[in-house]
Amino acid sequence: AWEDRFEELVAYKGEHGHCRVPQGSGPLGSWVNNCRVEYRKNLRGEKTSLSEDRVRKLNGIGFTWQCSGRSVEAGRPSEVVWEDRFEQLVAYKEEHGHCRVPRGSGPLGNWVKQQRAEYQKKHCGKKHFLSDDREKKLKGIGFTWQCHVRSVEAGRSSEAAWEDRFEQL
């Protein structure tokens, strides 16, 4: 039973590249959710069916123990949505040459705004959801953490607008 689901999870990871099986996706999703529930019990010192050997096995394949919150996007785990948005940001940067997505440009703009807000919370010592790994990934693509003044010209930075105007002289 447990070993069968574990092997199914290994196959899932091979196909999808991660172990974040949506909870509502059948028996494997329920099993993965149960592993997380049992793991949290263990952390609280409660009796659990998840042995240290099983935890080691799951860790060995890169199991994600915490999926903080759910996305409103078709019930997908927030980690999956984060990775999707990150990939969209990479594509945006390739097209525009920067990561300054205008706020009013839909889900990606909202996501970028949220990353900046989480960064500010993190560096002010407040509760945040920006992990070191995510911060590193964003820094790795040249993410702009602060965009103070914005131009009315399609959400571009005032510096970029100034440079354009200077070139026109």
Side-chain angles (χ1 to χ4, degrees):
W2 193 93
E3 290 295 330
D4 293 338
R5 288 284 181 245
F6 179 77
E7 291 304 320
E8 194 177 338
L9 179 60
V10 169
Y12 180 94
K13 182 181 181 182
E15 182 178 338
H16 298 278
H18 60 78
C19 297
R20 298 178 308 267
V21 182
Q23 185 176 349
S25 64
L28 182 60
S30 297
W31 180 83
V32 164
N33 183 62
N34 187 57
C35 286
R36 290 189 182 109
V37 168
E38 292 299 311
Y39 183 74
R40 285 191 299 272
K41 282 183 184 178
N42 188 23
L43 292 177
R44 292 190 304 262
E46 298 173 13
K47 188 175 180 177
T48 177
S49 62
L50 193 63
S51 68
E52 287 186 33
D53 183 52
R54 289 178 174 177
V55 169
R56 271 193 295 278
K57 280 184 153 184
L58 289 165
N59 283 337
I61 63 166
F63 188 79
T64 306
W65 291 106
Q66 188 172 13
C67 286
S68 56
R70 304 297 286 181
S71 168
V72 294
E73 295 182 33
R76 297 184 319 151
S78 60
E79 290 180 19
V80 174
V81 173
W82 195 95
E83 290 296 331
D84 287 350
R85 290 285 181 261
F86 179 78
E87 291 303 319
Q88 290 171 14
L89 181 60
V90 169
Y92 181 93
K93 182 180 180 184
E94 288 173 5
E95 182 178 339
H96 299 279
H98 60 78
C99 297
R100 297 181 311 271
V101 181
R103 287 183 195 171
S105 62
L108 183 59
N110 292 335
W111 182 83
V112 164
K113 178 183 171 187
Q114 184 64 38
Q115 300 317 298
R116 289 191 182 110
E118 293 300 322
Y119 178 84
Q120 293 300 320
K121 288 184 213 174
K122 181 177 184 177
H123 292 279
C124 289
K126 297 179 181 176
K127 184 177 178 178
H128 63 87
F129 296 102
L130 183 65
S131 69
D132 291 342
D133 287 342
R134 288 179 176 179
E135 182 178 347
K136 191 178 199 178
K137 281 182 87 166
L138 289 165
K139 282 181 179 179
I141 63 165
F143 187 78
T144 307
W145 293 106
Q146 294 181 346
C147 289
H148 295 291
V149 182
R150 301 300 266 174
S151 169
V152 292
E153 298 179 52
R156 297 179 26 200
S157 72
S158 58
E159 183 179 330
W162 188 91
E163 291 290 334
D164 287 349
R165 294 287 183 240
F166 183 77
E167 290 296 317
Q168 291 174 359
L169 292 176

